Amino acid sequence: MNRSHDDAAQAAVAPDPDVAAWRERVRSVAAACADLATETLSPSLALGRRLAAPVIAAEDLPPGPVSAMDGFALRLADLPDDADSPLPVVTDLPAARGGVPELAVGTAARIMTGAPVPAGADTVIEVERTDADPHARAPRSVRVLDRERLAAGRHIRSAGDEVPRGSVLAEPDDVIGPGLLALLTTLGVRAVDVRRPLRAGVLVTGDELVDHDDAEAAAEVGAVRESNGTMLAAALADHGATAEVIRCGDDPAAFCAQLDALAARCDLVLTSGGIGHGAYDVVKAALGPRGRGTSDFAHVRLRPGGPQGVGLVDVEGRGVPVIHLPGTPVGALVGFHLFVRPLLTGGDATAAAPVRAVIITAPAEAAAGTARSAGRGHGALRVGPGRLARTADGDLAVEIVAGHRLAPYGRADCLVLMEGPRAGVGDAVRVLPL
């Protein structure tokens, strides 16, 4: 989907939108993310990828009637009235390749699970109902001792019983996992159309940033080791996207040049930093109302991660979505999971949807977290680091990890979404597994 810069900025953004409103704003601007190129791969090479088109069964599974039990195939009408009267066993049918002869009238065939049922037979009597030894060679004759509830079609899987020809095996955006791979292989599907992984770019801003392994630069006063690019690239990879990370300083012209070059190679670009209210906020200066005017910026009712932005970069008529995240690592992490991650789930809303849990451990600062909320922060969604657990009854629970800023997120496996005036032990909250 191609969109112009005007499309990104034409709708006014309400001051201090809530998280749901801003998520919808991002989704509407970034709709082009859904228009990814596709490629055709063998199912084994497509493992973990999302389908771009439905997969239709070209044949029945099973292709013909097969036995669902180990036992004896026969015509129900040929079964003697007297349980002491045997039926001659004329053939032994294992689950194997090769033709199966038609069953002669008045005879039975020993048959194994999965073996083709011979023409003429209309039922399979499990071996437990007969006088046959299941571990011995096929007997010359067999008696059916237990005759309760016998009916034609018993223990016979008809052609297409599992998968009829023409049925839909999988829908677009379904992920090819081991189970689907097995099904496609069983039905002889040799190629599937899948979505190409989303190509994302991460542009991290800030004159203060240095490479994490540059000890000399990191020793300078005011230097900060750059980690947002690493973090966001890892988060993108976790959700099936590839990522290219670039770092730039606080010069608007240089930023625009790097953004344009990166967008030309990507389906989606994330920026980190430069969207606050200061004199050196390069992203807002370059793309906001005093710059290109192609991105919207807002302070979302969210703690941490309030500053957010979204827009489009024009690449020869192709609108590449760009999502602007805060420069603080926690703000960038929270913004990614609340606003970027829903775009990467291929239409699976449950993959980015919070679930309910009960708090079983909470530091004092979590309970008092909104006591300081006032003015702009009033009613903000507070997000904290958590670790998932289970109550004694097996219900989902969460422990809020103590600590400040990025440190507790090193141990977190979920985000705890707190909306009320407090969050203490026993309270039910929403959690978003990481």
Side-chain angles (χ1 to χ4, degrees):
M1 178 185 299
N2 293 333
R3 301 176 61 132
S4 70
H5 289 155
D6 290 341
D7 292 328
Q10 66 181 357
V13 178
D16 297 342
D18 62 21
V19 168
W22 187 253
R23 183 186 291 119
E24 177 58 26
R25 178 63 178 155
V26 173
R27 187 208 62 78
S28 65
V29 174
C33 289
D35 298 335
L36 297 181
T38 63
E39 53 188 337
T40 302
L41 298 175
S42 69
S44 59
L45 292 179
L47 186 65
R49 302 280 286 274
R50 291 188 180 275
L51 288 168
V55 182
I56 309 299
E59 57 188 59
D60 288 325
L61 181 67
V66 297
S67 176
M69 295 289 286
D70 297 331
F72 293 85
L74 49 84
R75 290 180 180 83
L76 201 58
D78 292 341
L79 193 63
D81 294 334
D82 183 0
D84 291 329
S85 299
L87 274 176
V89 177
V90 296
T91 188
D92 193 16
L93 302 175
R97 293 183 296 173
V100 176
E102 183 174 355
L103 187 67
V105 174
T107 66
R110 190 173 79 156
I111 193 167
M112 300 295 111
T113 301
V117 176
D122 63 8
T123 192
V124 171
I125 307 296
E126 56 268 44
V127 67
E128 297 92 331
R129 287 175 174 257
T130 73
D131 65 348
D133 182 349
H135 305 294
R137 292 185 177 182
R140 293 185 177 181
S141 62
V142 64
R143 292 179 177 84
V144 178
L145 306 179
D146 181 357
R147 303 190 175 203
E148 291 187 11
R149 298 184 299 277
L150 296 183
R154 181 181 179 84
H155 298 316
I156 294 178
R157 295 175 55 211
S158 59
D161 174 68
E162 184 173 348
V163 178
R165 182 194 304 266
S167 62
V168 177
L169 303 177
E171 301 278 6
D173 285 320
D174 284 349
V175 175
I176 299 180
L180 181 53
L181 177 61
L183 179 60
L184 299 178
T185 303
T186 299
L187 285 164
V189 176
R190 301 180 64 181
V192 289
D193 294 329
V194 294
R195 299 194 187 282
R196 172 179 54 72
L198 183 138
R199 298 175 304 199
V202 180
L203 185 53
V204 184
T205 66
D207 285 338
E208 73 280 14
L209 302 177
V210 299
D211 289 334
H212 72 279
D213 57 356
D214 188 339
E216 183 178 351
E220 293 184 43
V221 175
V224 175
R225 291 187 181 92
E226 197 286 296
S227 62
N228 282 4
T230 301
M231 177 182 68
L232 292 172
L236 287 160
D238 266 352
H239 294 85
T242 62
E244 176 184 355
V245 181
I246 293 177
R247 191 177 76 244
C248 73
D250 290 328
D251 177 67
F255 166 81
C256 286
Q258 289 182 297
L259 175 63
D260 291 344
L262 185 59
R265 303 188 294 270
C266 296
D267 306 302
L268 169 71
V269 174
L270 308 182
T271 70
S272 173
I275 58 173
H277 301 285
Y280 296 94
D281 284 307
V282 60
V283 177
K284 185 178 287 188
L287 305 180
R290 297 185 180 182
R292 288 182 174 179
T294 56
S295 287
D296 294 328
F297 297 92
H299 199 106
V300 180
R301 293 200 292 275
L302 173 66
R303 292 285 190 270
Q308 297 288 331
V310 65
L312 290 167
V313 180
D314 181 50
V315 179
E316 297 180 350
R318 178 173 68 97
V320 178
V322 54
I323 300 174
H324 308 296
L325 300 174
T328 61
V330 174
L333 179 68
V334 168
F336 174 87
H337 283 286
L338 293 183
F339 306 121
V340 180
R341 179 173 162 185
L343 305 175
L344 307 176
T345 59
D348 181 7
T350 61
V355 295
R356 304 293 292 186
V358 175
I359 297 175
I360 56 174
T361 303
E365 60 266 25
T370 56
R372 300 183 302 272
S373 296
R376 168 168 254 170
H378 181 68
L381 174 69
R382 291 183 297 129
V383 180
R387 289 178 63 87
L388 295 172
R390 292 283 175 182
T391 67
D393 295 329
D395 296 327
L396 187 64
V398 65
E399 301 172 349
I400 300 179
V401 183
H404 301 286
R405 299 186 182 276
L406 183 60
Y409 286 87
R411 299 184 57 242
D413 61 11
C414 69
L415 299 181
V416 184
L417 311 182
M418 297 169 280
E419 301 171 278
R422 59 178 299 277
V425 173
D427 289 340
V429 293
R430 294 182 302 151
V431 297
L432 183 61
L434 297 177

